[in-house]
Amino acid sequence: MSRERARRRAEREAEQARERAVRQRQVARRQRRRAVVRRLTPQLRRGRSGRLARHSRGERAAIVLLTGAALILIWSFVDNLALRIALIVLLLLVLPAIVVIALDRRT
């Protein structure tokens, strides 16, 4: 009787060892596949990035609208074309400093 139980226990343990080995191979295969997919897919950065990302949507809208208003004012009140172009270039060069001063942040 005890030999029969020992034989059945050995069979059960052997079957469990086979199932464990199959499971380990499946897990290893799945991990290798995930590693390959992770290597091949480009990393997407979540959230905003870049220079304008440091400002809220309202701040960006204000920057664009005020710059556009300044451009319209320059275009409508200045008659000389060369002076218009010079003022527009000057505005675009000074714009980052104006943003830093107005929003008290670095761009």
Side-chain angles (χ1 to χ4, degrees):
M1 192 68 125
S2 64
R3 286 185 203 160
E4 184 65 24
R5 278 196 308 249
R7 186 183 59 74
R8 278 187 267 157
R9 183 178 51 224
E11 288 175 359
R12 271 196 319 267
E13 288 174 355
E15 180 63 29
Q16 288 173 351
R18 281 192 297 274
E19 290 174 0
R20 201 174 309 121
V22 167
R23 237 179 290 121
Q24 286 175 348
R25 283 194 304 269
Q26 288 173 344
V27 168
R29 186 180 313 127
R30 191 177 313 129
Q31 287 175 344
R32 284 192 308 268
R33 197 177 316 128
R34 284 182 182 168
V36 167
V37 168
R38 202 172 297 124
R39 247 184 287 130
L40 293 178
T41 55
Q43 295 295 324
L44 297 176
R45 294 195 325 193
R46 299 285 180 209
R48 298 176 294 185
S49 62
R51 289 200 181 279
L52 290 177
R54 297 184 185 116
H55 301 291
S56 70
R57 180 175 287 161
E59 290 172 340
R60 288 193 305 262
I63 292 168
V64 169
L65 289 176
L66 290 175
T67 304
L71 291 174
I72 290 172
L73 288 174
I74 289 171
W75 199 259
S76 62
F77 286 120
V78 177
D79 293 329
N80 189 356
L81 181 64
L83 185 57
R84 282 181 186 170
I85 293 173
L87 287 175
I88 290 172
V89 168
L90 182 66
L91 173 69
L92 294 178
L93 286 175
V94 176
L95 184 63
I98 294 171
V99 170
V100 168
I101 292 169
L103 299 177
D104 195 31
R105 293 191 200 167
R106 294 227 172 254
T107 56

